[in-house]
């Protein structure tokens, strides 16, 4: 059996009981090390699970799926995924390869940012499409998310923005020389995401959002030191959210009374938030 196991959001103890049983019954345990990061060391996972954990980087999952699936028609292999297996990236590729080899696959879910974002007090039913924001470079500033935010905004829906993570990036020089030397990991902050969003709005000028659009910045969701703060996009650009991982929600203009109440509770600055709520948002029952 190939078990694809969601690990939850924060630490080694977020795994479900079912997930832990699968891991303990597996001969080999892989940890997907690229779509996201867990806030704990690999060693703590190994101690808690009582198993060696092999980190599978992007290269490994794509080029060594044979190795990952080796003998899984006879033994159990677990593939651990931070968050939920079907959170941001799906693992369809690995599932298809397993199926081709006649290996049964079982998925064990756990929390991911896609549902944990409900901790902001915004109702999951009122979210539109999720978008990803990547680090802009001098000559690569992809902004296709803009159209999708605009659609959300038209319907008054909230938009979850997943922020870029760069791990195991190689410099051009190291890549050309085929040296396995990697740059330090980078995690996009709420500050940078807000800045890039505002830059795109400045360029497009179609009012999908403005510096006054209300947003909720979150960091380390699911951990003991999580931060959830609401304010305008301009405030998101400056407020300190501390260590990674960060995510951002753009708040749609149709708000339930209770959603507005929790935004106020989490306000960076209550007066300015109230002003914008009153002026730009439709608060209903
Ligand atoms: C695979 O896992 C299942 C359930 O977790 C267990 O019953 C079974 O004995 C395991 N198979 C092997 C070969 O370890
Ligand atoms: C969504 C989900 O299944 N979350 C579970 C993740 O695991 C923890 C602990 O094992 C559970 O408490 C959550 O309910
Ligand atoms: C195009 C559109 O509907 N834009 C709306 C997006 O949401 C803001 C509030 O966040 C509204 O003021 C805009 O009219």
């Amino acid at each position: 059996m190939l078990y694809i196991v969601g690990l939850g959001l924060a630490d080694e103890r977020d795994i479900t009981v079912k997930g832990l049983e699968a891991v303990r019954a597996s001969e080999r345990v892989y940890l997907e090390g690229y779509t996201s990061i867990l806030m704990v060391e690999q060693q703590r996972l190994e101690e808690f699970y009582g198993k060696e954990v092999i980190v599978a980087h992007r290269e490994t999952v794509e080029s060594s799926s044979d190795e990952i699936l080796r003998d899984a028609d006879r033994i159990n292999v677990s593939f651990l995924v931070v968050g939920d297996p079907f959170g941001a990236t799906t693992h369809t590729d690995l599932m298809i390869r397993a199926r081709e080899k006649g290996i049964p696959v079982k998925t064990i879910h756990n929390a991911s940012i896609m549902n944990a974002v409900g901790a902001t007090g915004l109702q999951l039913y009122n979210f539109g499409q999720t978008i990803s924001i990547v680090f802009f470079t001098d000559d690569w500033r992809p902004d296709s998310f803009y159209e999708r935010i605009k659609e959300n905004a038209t319907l008054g829906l909230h938009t979850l923005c997943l922020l870029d993570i760069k791990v195991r990036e190689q410099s051009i020089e190291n890549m050309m020389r085929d040296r396995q030397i990697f740059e330090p990991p980078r995690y996009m902050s709420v500050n940078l995401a807000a800045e890039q969003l505002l830059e795109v709005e400045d360029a497009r000028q179609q009012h999908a959002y403005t510096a006054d659009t209300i947003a909720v910045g979150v960091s380390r969701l699911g951990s003991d030191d999580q931060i959830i703060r609401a304010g305008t996009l301009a405030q998101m650009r400056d407020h300190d959210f501390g260590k990674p991982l960060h995510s951002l929600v753009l708040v749609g203009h149709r708000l339930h009374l209770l959603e507005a109440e929790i935004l106020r509770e989490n306000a960076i600055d209550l007066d300015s938030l109230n002003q914008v709520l009153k002026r730009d948002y439709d608060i209903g029952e």
Side-chain angles (χ1 to χ4, degrees):
M1 179 84 80
L2 170 70
Y3 290 103
I4 302 183
V5 183
L7 289 188
L9 288 164
D11 63 34
E12 75 277 15
R13 304 181 64 233
D14 278 337
I15 193 170
T16 58
V17 173
K18 264 192 199 161
L20 189 58
E21 281 170 1
V23 167
R24 294 207 164 137
S26 289
E27 204 147 303
R28 291 194 313 279
V29 179
Y30 294 90
L31 170 66
E32 172 223 40
Y34 61 86
T35 47
S36 193
I37 56 153
L38 207 59
M39 291 173 247
V40 293
E41 305 283 329
Q42 179 184 349
Q43 196 193 341
R44 262 176 71 188
L45 292 180
E46 293 185 329
E47 281 165 13
F48 187 71
Y49 302 151
K51 289 272 165 177
E52 184 199 350
V53 171
I54 308 160
V55 177
H57 296 291
R58 185 183 281 122
E59 307 95 87
T60 325
V61 178
E62 278 160 22
S63 65
S64 323
S65 60
D66 284 350
E67 172 53 25
I68 294 175
L69 297 173
R70 180 170 50 85
D71 298 334
D73 52 344
R74 298 186 292 107
I75 61 169
N76 295 324
V77 172
S78 284
F79 185 76
L80 310 180
V81 180
V82 176
D84 185 81
F86 301 107
T89 50
T90 57
H91 297 277
T92 343
D93 194 50
L94 195 60
M95 291 175 73
I96 290 170
R97 282 173 207 234
R99 215 157 280 161
E100 280 168 5
K101 291 173 188 282
I103 297 165
V105 179
K106 193 165 179 178
T107 305
I108 302 172
H109 294 278
N110 209 297
S112 86
I113 183 71
M114 308 281 276
N115 49 43
V117 73
T120 56
L122 298 169
Q123 293 168 6
L124 293 178
Y125 289 162
N126 298 340
F127 276 75
Q129 304 168 80
T130 298
I131 62 153
S132 298
I133 303 178
V134 302
F135 283 109
F136 283 178
T137 65
D138 289 342
D139 51 9
W140 197 60
R141 307 174 94 72
D143 63 358
S144 56
F145 56 74
Y146 188 81
E147 290 304 322
R148 277 178 287 150
I149 297 178
K150 211 170 78 178
E151 290 167 16
N152 288 350
T154 308
L155 298 169
L157 297 171
H158 313 313
T159 305
L160 170 61
C161 311
L162 302 176
L163 310 186
D164 203 3
I165 294 170
K166 290 244 178 290
V167 285
R168 288 175 70 83
E169 288 289 304
Q170 282 172 296
S171 66
I172 306 237
E173 199 195 331
N174 284 331
M175 203 185 298
M176 286 193 326
R177 290 168 195 253
D178 201 22
R179 286 192 297 225
Q180 295 288 300
I181 299 174
F182 301 99
E183 302 301 302
R186 288 193 300 150
Y187 307 98
M188 186 182 287
S189 65
V190 165
N191 305 150
L192 183 62
E195 192 178 310
Q196 290 190 181
L197 280 166
L198 291 172
E199 178 193 310
V200 172
E201 176 57 56
D202 265 354
R204 299 264 199 135
Q205 306 253 332
Q206 295 166 29
H207 308 290
Y209 48 86
T210 68
D212 269 351
T213 293
I214 294 175
V216 183
V218 301
S219 59
R220 299 177 301 288
L221 205 57
S223 72
D224 288 339
D225 64 350
Q226 70 177 20
I227 296 177
I228 301 175
R229 300 310 296 271
T232 61
L233 259 188
Q235 288 167 345
M236 291 295 136
R237 201 168 39 190
D238 301 321
H239 188 78
D240 183 7
F241 284 88
K243 289 179 298 184
L245 293 173
H246 294 186
S247 310
L248 182 68
V249 178
L250 297 177
V251 177
H253 61 87
R254 261 186 10 202
L255 275 175
H256 187 273
L257 206 59
L258 290 174
E259 292 182 309
E261 195 46 49
I262 294 180
L263 287 176
R264 290 191 188 97
E265 273 173 29
N266 292 327
I268 291 171
D269 176 67
L270 187 56
D271 285 344
S272 59
L273 186 85
N274 269 329
Q275 265 177 28
V276 180
L277 277 177
K278 208 164 157 191
R279 192 188 62 208
D280 298 340
Y281 286 76
D282 313 317
I283 301 173
E285 298 285 321

